[in-house]
Each structure stands twice: as structure tokens, then as C-alpha cells.
Amino acid sequence: MQHLIISAHPNQNSFSNALAEALAAESLNHKINPIRRNLYDIDFNPILTNEDLGQIKEGRIPEDIYREQTLIKEADIISFIYPLWWGSFPAILKGYFDRVLTNGFAFKISSNGPEGLLKGKKVVLHTSMGNSVEEYEKKGILDAFRQIHGDEVFGFCGIEIAGHYFYPRISDSSPEIKKQYIEKALQNYNSIFSRMHQISV
Ligand SMILES: Cc1cc2nc3c(=O)[nH]c(=O)nc-3n(C[C@H](O)[C@H](O)[C@H](O)COP(=O)(O)O)c2cc1C
């Protein structure tokens, strides 16, 4: 089984990349093969151009998009790890969704409406933030993050959202607190990984 782990943070020493590394090691402990991808390390081009749109419409998928789609196709579970930037994904990750989750690959539109084409896969989202969870709950937008970052992207593609975890006040958290968050994050995968093993036997 394959676990595609995608992070979107330019700093190797960030909480996001530390979590991604720990998750890769934990996957191996569960006999699940991790594929690590930091979109900055691979210099992912996030700009969806008119040329891309034309080629995709004709069924000719640009090589860099095809590479990412192949990794998604081969993955049983995908984890996205990113900081909250202006209430949203970092632009490089948003551009990854724009370019990689194409019509015909991730979904199709027929006379019955849209249909997700990536059924059977799971996704787990990890969002680190500068604010506290309470502040966003008070504003009533934590559920909006779940909806917009989760359902509107992955639900639309037919992917099961197995978890969406928020890590508050990361910017001023101590190394001990960050370590605790990472340990808790790994624990959350225990039941997901065992369910995956049960289904595969
Ligand atoms: C461009 C930018 C925009 C940000 N916007 C938000 C925001 O909207 N809400 C928030 O809580 N934190 C925001 N932050 C703080 C980051 O989410 C926080 O620094 C990050 O999650 C820390 O985790 P890391 O160690 O993985 O970078 C922003 C930071 C940057 C650099």
C-alpha cells in the first residue's frame, strides 16, 4: 500500500515538514510505503495556463501534471500538510489542485452532474495555523475551512476525508508542544492504517 505525503512549506525546519517526515517513518512502521513530496522541493509549477487547459481538454496531459496524477492513482491514502495562509492553502498547493485534479482524471461532468473519479482513496488534512482554534470557532469559520479545504476539493473528487486536524498557534509553540502535536497526529493514523490493512486482506 502507498501513502502519498504532500507538504507545502518552503522551510525544511517547519512544523509542517517535521510532521511530514515523522508521518513517512510511521507509515513504514505500519508496512505502508511512503512517498514524500514537498511541493517546494520539487519546484512544482502552480500556474494553470490557457495552454494547459487546451491540452487537458484534448486529453493530452502535460508531463509534470501526469507525474503527479500517477502518484495519486497509485496511492491508497494521501496526506496534505500545510500552513494556513490567509485563511487558505499556500498558493503552491492551491495551484497543485488547480493543475493536477483535472476534469477527466479527478472528476467528470455528465448529464447527471459531477461525479468524483477517485473513489476508494482516503485523504487526511493537516493545517497548522498562527491563530487558536477557539478564535476561528468564535468567528464561525472553522467548519468553513473543513468544508472548503476538504469537501469542496476532495469530496468533489470522490475521496473519503479520513481526518482534518488543525494545529493552533504553531508560530509561538515550544518544541515540546510541537512534538506532542506530532505524536498525537501519528496516533490518529493507527485506526486509519489498521482499517486499510483489514480491507486489503
Ligand atoms: C503569508 C502568511 C499568511 C498567514 N495567514 C494566516 C492565517 O490566515 N491564519 C492563521 O491562523 N495563521 C496564518 N499565518 C501563520 C501560519 O499559519 C503559521 O505561521 C504556520 O502555520 C506555522 O507553521 P509552520 O511551522 O509549519 O510554518 C500566516 C503566515 C504567513 C507566512
Side-chain angles (χ1 to χ4, degrees), residues 20 26-27 64 71 79 88 97 121-122 139-140 145 147 150 173 177 179-180 185 187 197:
E26 184 69 0
S27 303
D64 63 331
L71 291 174
S79 293
S88 189
F97 297 141
K121 297 185 189 299
K122 295 181 196 309
K139 286 184 186 169
F145 291 153
Q147 182 81 29
S173 287
I177 296 281
K179 200 166 155 235
Q180 283 172 23
Q187 278 169 22
H197 281 302

Side-chain angles (χ1 to χ4, degrees), residues 45-62:
N45 167 17
I47 309 291
L48 176 64
T49 61
N50 196 33
E51 197 186 336
D52 287 336
L53 285 172
Q55 288 188 22
I56 291 163
K57 204 167 177 186
E58 289 168 7
R60 290 185 294 120
I61 307 296

Side-chain angles (χ1 to χ4, degrees), residues 73-120:
K73 226 185 286 176
E74 291 170 354
D76 301 282
I77 178 165
I78 310 166
S79 293
F80 287 95
I81 307 170
Y82 57 93
L84 189 72
W85 282 0
W86 299 116
S88 189
F89 307 109
I92 199 167
L93 181 57
K94 173 61 167 52
Y96 171 96
F97 297 141
D98 293 345
R99 293 190 72 229
V100 176
L101 299 178
T102 59
N103 188 347
F105 168 73
F107 64 92
K108 68 177 180 185
I109 311 280
S110 65
S111 51
N112 296 329
E115 183 191 339
L117 297 178
L118 296 174
K119 296 183 190 91

